[in-house]
Amino acid sequence: MSSADAPDQEPAPPEAEERPAVRLLVDEEAVQGRVAELGAELRADYQGVEPVLVSVLRGGVVFLADLVRAAAMPCLVDFMAISRFDASKETGVVRIEKDLELDLSGAHVLVVEDIVDTGLTLTYLLRVLAARGPVSLRVCALLDRRARRIVDVPLSYVGFEVPDVFLVGYGLDLDERERGRRELLAVDDLEAVRADPTLLDLPTRADDAWRPSRA
Ligand code: 5GP
Ligand code: MG
């Protein structure tokens, strides 16, 4: 029998659509646009006072560096380093590895955070800072991942609300690396990226990215 008589071969099922290991979540232009807006808001809100901007090492440093330039206002900057006491327990109790050098009594304090996730670290930190007698204590977070919040913590300024996926870039690390990337990447498959970090090298412009409103 000739092969012509054979029933038509079923077309091969389309390849199961592969989920990319990494997606571009916020591109550089969108990050910079939003940081410029936050800076302008801070400049307006802190007119006539010289706030102390407190940055939590290490993730928040890239955001802080751009934010102070965007705000272009009189302010002081100081740094803290903290580590979770017991990473296995989500208690939020942290050890202060490096304390601030500035005195916060009578100061307007703005904590500048990269991302607020469970809110446990920040809640603990705010309690510590509040005990030092600032006249005001607010938080400016670039990223807010509300889906994972355990403790409600008031955020006065937020750059972007982000989904529950591991983020890398713009200060956020992947095993202490990649903090210098100008965009924010969502890593859906950490093991794939650990095996092949070039997966992070995506086109750096997102067509559907959020853009700052231009007045
Ligand atoms: P939490 O709010 O759960 O107490 O802790 C937030 C801290 O965990 C952030 O300041 C940041 O250092 C780290 N973190 C949370 N989410 C991410 C993420 O998606 N990527 C990276 N690299 N760090 C994160
Ligand atoms: Mg942080």
Side-chain angles (χ1 to χ4, degrees), residues 56-60 82 112-116 121 172:
V56 185
L57 299 170
R58 293 178 282 269
I82 56 180
V112 177
E113 263 285 30
D114 49 1
I115 180 165
V116 182
T121 314
L172 295 174

Side-chain angles (χ1 to χ4, degrees), residues 66-215:
D66 282 344
L67 190 65
V68 285
R69 285 175 288 185
M73 65 182 186
C75 66
L76 304 174
V77 168
D78 206 348
F79 298 90
M80 265 183 120
I82 56 180
S83 66
R84 285 266 175 93
F85 242 118
D86 184 351
S88 62
K89 284 204 198 101
E90 294 211 314
T91 58
V93 177
V94 297
R95 189 201 329 258
I96 296 176
E97 303 284 358
K98 181 218 169 296
D99 206 340
L100 300 172
E101 314 223 330
L102 298 174
D103 178 8
L104 299 187
S105 64
H108 291 273
V109 175
L110 180 69
V111 176
V112 177
E113 263 285 30
D114 49 1
I115 180 165
V116 182
D117 191 54
T118 63
L120 288 166
T121 314
L122 187 57
T123 298
Y124 180 84
L125 194 66
L126 289 175
R127 205 176 305 140
V128 169
L129 299 181
R132 300 182 181 184
V135 287
S136 74
L137 180 57
R138 290 183 185 166
V139 178
C140 175
L142 179 68
L143 307 171
D144 181 4
R145 186 186 285 128
R146 290 227 193 121
R148 284 184 34 92
R149 198 62 40 84
I150 292 175
V151 204
D152 186 38
V153 52
L155 306 178
S156 298
Y157 308 91
V158 171
F160 301 97
E161 281 182 31
V162 292
D164 188 7
V165 54
F166 189 74
L167 304 178
V168 172
Y170 201 69
L172 295 174
D173 70 306
L174 174 65
D175 304 330
E176 293 302 329
R177 299 194 174 84
E178 314 295 345
R179 294 189 196 272
R181 288 180 181 271
R182 293 165 183 268
E183 64 284 342
L184 280 158
L185 301 167
V187 176
D188 289 299
D189 187 341
L190 257 178
E191 289 322 307
V193 173
R194 285 194 172 114
D196 179 9
T198 66
L199 290 172
L200 294 169
D201 300 332
L202 298 177
T204 51
R205 163 104 194 172
D207 291 330
D208 59 349
W210 174 92
R211 301 284 166 213
S213 48
R214 294 186 210 286

